[in-house]
Amino acid sequence: MKKFIHEDFLLETDYAKELYHDYAKGQPIIDYHSHLPPNELAENKNFENVTKIWIEGDHYKWRAMRALGVPEKYITGKATDAEKFQKWAQTVPYTLRNPLYHWTHLELNRYFGIDELLTPDSAEGIYEQCNIALKKPTFSTQNLVGRMNVEVVCTTDDPLDDLAHHIKLAKSDCPVKVFPTFRPDGLIDIEKVDFSDYISTLSKITGVTITDLASLGEATKKRVDFFHENGCRLSDHGLTHAYGYAYDESEINQILSKRFDEKSISKKEALQYKSAILHLLGQLYAEKNWVMQLHLGPIRDTNKAILAKIGINAGVDSIGDYPQAEQLASFLNRLNNSGSLPKTILYNSNPSDNEVFATMAGNFTGEDIKSKVQFGTAWWFLDQKDGIKDQLDTVSNMGLLSCSVGMLTDSRSFLSFPRHEYYRRVLCNILGNDLKAGLLPHDMKWIGKIVQDITYNNAKEFFQFPSLVENLSLKK
């Protein structure tokens, strides 16, 4: 019987096979957005067992197990790691046509050389085989990433972070360049109960007394400078929608004063503040030639009962149906009018926004920059075969697919890098089908170049990461 994961997996035509094997497969990976813990990379950690590295923290798997009715004890509860793995193995056969089925078997094969399907009957043997491998030095975190031909990993980091792990990594023999990403949720979420405490900590770290928007901007700039000195070239924002509301500085100062006095603010005032701080941040990013990422649209933490048991990132988020176009246009236009629109990537969680985001990206361009504002790759609930195809089709129809910066993992798992392979196979299959149908000319050299641009070259040019970690001006 033919192996399920074989060399031509997902490739339906000879054209697709040629594009993948000759042009895409060997490309290095620039994983410009992930949630890998930098401390586990810096420690070059070996995981105790496959449950720890593969199931713990993976809310994709948790959601599938819950959908099957698996008790929470075996998901995030006090069951043993072996029991949790067994329950995942019982779940996998029921994930047919869910991307988890493909990802599961790609990951077992690419990291552990396992061709066998994961089922209740095979679970014990696979668990033991993986655990034996994970004890080897070659299965440490740095080596797991390096073996997937990863050139760059960008983690997601709070502006208050001292970046000690990144500094350690930059001075180490880590085979992969690891850079921080500036994620200023704490600066933006003015309604949160700990907002004043967050700003107080920012003030202490920077030595800036923060009383108004100007001093907040001064302190924030110090953190942007610090991140930049340590290799950061991207920011990231997880928002329901962009903020482009009208405001003036005196209004924002009054809003901040009320908030520092622990007084309540209105919904309108919160939106005005968020518009102001997001604009300020965009200006700082543009000064540094950073890329601003906007992840827009999910509704988070919907199941309060599970949230109370587990905490954030519990796997109870979904696609939201927020209006996007008007505020996004206003936000981008305000930055563009002031000459401070940074390179930007727009990600949507709602597939009905595909065309909105793709056409919005095309409204804002820059000379000598390919697709200065990008419609980003399929994200979160959409990063499966159909969702990837829909995103590729939309960016092809509404913009220039050839300028895309390609895939990312957006993952907390050290076993998630085959998602880049998955994306590359889907991309090559689409182009291969077009070639077979006569929709593209039979110019494999040129189309192969486009594939290599999408899978590596465009990202390398767009992000402009420091060429060598050793040459960074590292400051603490």
Side-chain angles (χ1 to χ4, degrees):
M1 183 182 293
K2 191 175 185 180
K3 296 176 182 177
F4 178 60
I5 302 297
H6 54 86
E7 65 176 7
D8 295 327
F9 179 63
L10 298 181
L11 305 175
E12 299 172 330
T13 66
D14 288 340
Y15 296 114
K17 295 170 187 176
E18 182 178 349
L19 287 171
Y20 177 72
H21 292 296
D22 293 354
Y23 295 96
K25 183 178 179 179
Q27 292 288 90
I29 289 173
I30 294 178
D31 197 47
Y32 53 90
H33 178 66
S34 83
H35 294 275
L36 291 182
N39 63 305
E40 293 182 351
L41 275 166
E43 294 162 8
N44 202 18
K45 176 179 178 177
N46 276 80
F47 284 83
E48 180 183 343
N49 58 56
V50 69
T51 299
K52 295 290 188 188
I53 193 174
W54 204 39
I55 299 173
E56 192 171 289
D58 189 339
H59 52 79
Y60 286 87
K61 293 185 178 73
W62 296 353
R63 287 173 67 91
M65 294 166 79
R66 289 175 188 144
L68 196 63
V70 173
E72 195 67 28
K73 169 185 175 181
Y74 299 102
I75 303 171
T76 62
K78 294 182 179 180
T80 67
D81 290 338
E83 289 172 331
K84 289 178 180 178
F85 187 86
Q86 183 67 41
K87 290 296 184 182
W88 171 237
Q90 291 175 16
T91 304
V92 168
Y94 290 93
T95 67
L96 289 173
R97 302 203 79 239
N98 185 289
L100 282 165
Y101 196 82
H102 287 167
W103 294 346
T104 291
H105 294 103
L106 268 173
E107 290 163 10
L108 286 174
N109 181 270
R110 298 302 184 246
Y111 289 99
F112 302 101
I114 294 172
D115 292 318
E116 193 174 6
L117 297 179
L118 182 57
T119 67
D121 291 338
S122 66
E124 184 176 352
I126 288 175
Y127 187 71
E128 291 178 3
Q129 185 175 341
C130 291
N131 291 348
I132 290 169
L134 285 168
K135 291 179 171 59
K136 299 176 183 177
T138 51
F139 279 78
S140 68
T141 53
Q142 292 182 17
N143 288 317
L144 282 169
V145 177
R147 72 162 59 185
M148 291 292 108
N149 198 21
V150 179
E151 185 172 276
V152 170
V153 166
C154 293
T155 60
T156 303
D157 309 278
D158 192 282
L160 304 183
D161 198 302
D162 64 8
L163 302 185
H165 302 300
H166 295 85
I167 292 169
K168 179 179 178 180
L169 281 161
K171 295 176 179 178
S172 74
D173 296 326
C174 180
V176 179
K177 299 168 188 175
V178 182
F179 299 121
T181 297
F182 195 80
R183 177 76 176 245
D185 294 356
L187 287 172
I188 294 171
D189 293 333
I190 192 170
E191 315 102 309
K192 294 287 182 69
V193 290
D194 60 351
F195 176 77
S196 294
D197 292 337
Y198 187 92
I199 299 302
S200 178
T201 303
L202 176 65
S203 179
K204 290 176 184 176
I205 288 174
T206 60
V208 176
T209 302
I210 301 173
T211 58
D212 55 15
L213 184 61
S215 53
L216 179 56
E218 180 186 354
T220 302
K221 183 179 186 305
K222 284 178 177 265
R223 298 311 293 168
V224 168
D225 290 343
F226 172 69
F227 269 61
H228 189 83
E229 289 161 358
N230 287 284
C232 179
R233 297 296 182 268
L234 296 97
S235 71
D236 181 47
H237 299 268
L239 308 170
T240 53
H241 57 82
Y243 302 107
Y245 294 88
Y247 66 88
D248 62 49
E249 189 168 341
S250 63
E251 290 177 314
I252 304 306
N253 291 339
Q254 291 174 14
I255 294 166
L256 281 169
S257 179
K258 288 172 66 174
R259 194 65 186 82
F260 293 155
D261 289 338
E262 300 301 329
K263 295 177 181 177
S264 62
I265 60 173
S266 68
K267 182 176 180 180
K268 177 184 176 182
E269 287 174 323
L271 292 172
Q272 286 179 303
Y273 168 79
K274 291 181 178 184
S275 300
I277 192 66
L278 203 57
H279 181 74
L280 183 153
L281 287 164
Q283 291 177 308
L284 293 175
Y285 304 153
E287 290 174 7
K288 295 294 187 185
N289 195 30
W290 283 10
V291 175
M292 175 174 65
Q293 297 178 97
L294 299 176
H295 286 87
L296 306 176
I299 182 168
R300 299 175 187 266
D301 301 333
T302 59
N303 186 327
K304 303 304 181 185
I306 286 183
L307 198 68
K309 286 183 181 179
I310 301 170
I312 62 170
N313 302 317
V316 290
D317 315 299
S318 67
I319 292 169
D321 58 354
Y322 305 97
Q324 297 290 346
E326 186 175 359
Q327 288 303 307
L328 181 56
S330 178
F331 167 62
L332 296 175
N333 187 56
R334 182 178 288 149
L335 284 169
N336 194 59
N337 283 344
S338 63
S340 52
L341 177 64
K343 290 179 286 187
T344 300
I345 307 177
L346 308 174
Y347 308 89
N348 61 300
S349 68
N350 192 333
S352 67
D353 291 325
N354 275 4
E355 284 78 8
V356 171
F357 279 52
T359 54
M360 189 67 70
N363 293 335
F364 301 96
T365 55
E367 293 184 4
D368 299 319
I369 303 174
K370 294 179 183 176
S371 293
K372 179 179 179 178
V373 179
Q374 295 250 345
F375 174 36
T377 189
W379 169 53
W380 204 341
F381 294 101
L382 308 182
D383 64 352
Q384 22 73 13
K385 184 167 65 72
D386 291 342
I388 292 170
K389 182 180 184 301
D390 288 346
Q391 190 274 341
L392 292 171
D393 285 342
T394 304
V395 76
S396 297
N397 289 328
M398 308 294 177
L400 296 179
L401 173 62
S402 56
C403 295
S404 171
V405 293
M407 189 56 171
L408 47 86
T409 59
D410 190 30
S411 176
R412 293 170 176 80
S413 171
F414 286 92
L415 302 184
S416 65
F417 288 94
R419 293 185 193 179
H420 284 268
E421 175 186 341
Y422 196 70
Y423 173 90
R424 293 173 180 189
R425 288 178 179 273
V426 172
L427 170 66
C428 292
N429 194 60
I430 291 169
L431 295 172
N433 284 335
D434 282 356
L435 278 160
K436 184 177 180 180
L439 299 174
L440 295 174
H442 190 267
D443 186 346
M444 294 301 284
K445 185 175 180 180
W446 176 252
I447 296 173
K449 176 191 178 301
I450 296 299
V451 166
Q452 292 184 326
D453 286 347
I454 294 168
T455 54
Y456 175 71
N457 296 328
N458 289 341
K460 184 176 181 180
E461 178 183 350
F462 194 70
F463 298 114
Q464 296 185 19
F465 293 112
S467 56
L468 292 172
V469 173
E470 294 81 2
N471 292 335
L472 286 175
S473 174
L474 296 167
K475 298 183 181 179
K476 194 168 183 179

